[in-house]
Amino acid sequence: MRTLALTTDETLLVLKLAFLVLLYGFILLIVRTATKDLGGAPQESIVLGAADAARLRAAHGLEPARFVVLQAPGFRAGSMLEVSGSTVVGRDESSGIRLDGDEFASARHARIDQRADGVWVEDLGSMNGTFVNGDQISSKRLLKPGDVLRVGETELRLE
């Protein structure tokens, strides 16, 4: 009779361990599913991938906004920068337009948004401000071709 009691206890122990393994496997599956897109390439939308968004923009006639570099540490004067969608300008590694050598630019200095109604710029709470044609902006501002955007020591002209 003692042998039967040990077998029952061992069976229950094995069932408990199997349940724990399945439980941890289920939790691992949930975590992997929830985080699978966090380490990949950034997407422009939750619904659309970058390639799909580019095709949609092309279908609606939205060409990338083009900026000519007038002066900027780390960029050659006269070089062309293209912006599509929403792009952050600053010294941060994740910035779309990265200003490594510009000590007067904040990490996340300004945001340029290309929309159907034009190219908009917004200061992101920078220390030195964002300027359009020499005037400091305090809210989102629509840029026109020929406008000069200054972020830190960097000056870009919208073409």
Side-chain angles (χ1 to χ4, degrees):
M1 186 137 186
R2 178 143 170 79
T3 308
L4 182 62
L6 280 176
T7 306
T8 304
D9 288 342
E10 290 172 354
T11 305
L12 288 175
L13 180 63
V14 169
L15 287 174
K16 287 178 186 179
L17 290 175
F19 176 75
L20 285 176
V21 168
L22 287 173
L23 181 64
Y24 281 114
F26 179 71
I27 291 171
L28 179 65
L29 180 66
I30 290 173
V31 169
R32 284 188 57 200
T33 302
T35 61
K36 74 177 183 178
D37 289 333
L38 293 181
Q43 292 186 343
E44 294 186 14
S45 160
I46 293 174
V47 178
L48 297 176
D52 295 331
R55 279 194 297 276
L56 186 61
R57 256 191 249 101
H60 286 84
L62 285 177
E63 293 295 319
R66 290 180 178 83
F67 288 89
V68 174
V69 176
L70 300 178
Q71 67 177 21
F75 287 97
R76 194 181 84 242
S79 60
M80 190 74 71
L81 300 174
E82 289 189 348
V83 174
S84 58
S86 181
T87 302
V88 173
V89 180
R91 292 190 334 238
D92 191 56
E93 290 181 12
S94 65
S95 296
I97 299 177
R98 192 166 170 201
L99 306 176
D100 282 334
D102 194 338
E103 294 183 20
F104 292 95
S106 298
R108 293 178 50 83
H109 196 104
R111 177 180 296 119
I112 299 172
D113 287 317
Q114 183 208 19
R115 303 179 189 167
D117 61 343
V119 179
W120 292 80
V121 65
E122 170 187 18
D123 185 76
L124 298 176
S126 65
M127 292 296 293
N128 295 318
T130 301
F131 296 81
V132 174
N133 299 327
D135 297 325
Q136 187 170 2
I137 62 171
S138 57
S139 61
K140 289 184 182 181
R141 176 141 174 207
L142 178 63
L143 298 177
K144 300 179 299 278
D147 281 349
V148 176
L149 172 64
R150 184 167 55 115
V151 173
E153 293 181 318
T154 302
E155 288 189 358
L156 308 171
R157 183 180 64 231
L158 179 63
E159 292 295 301

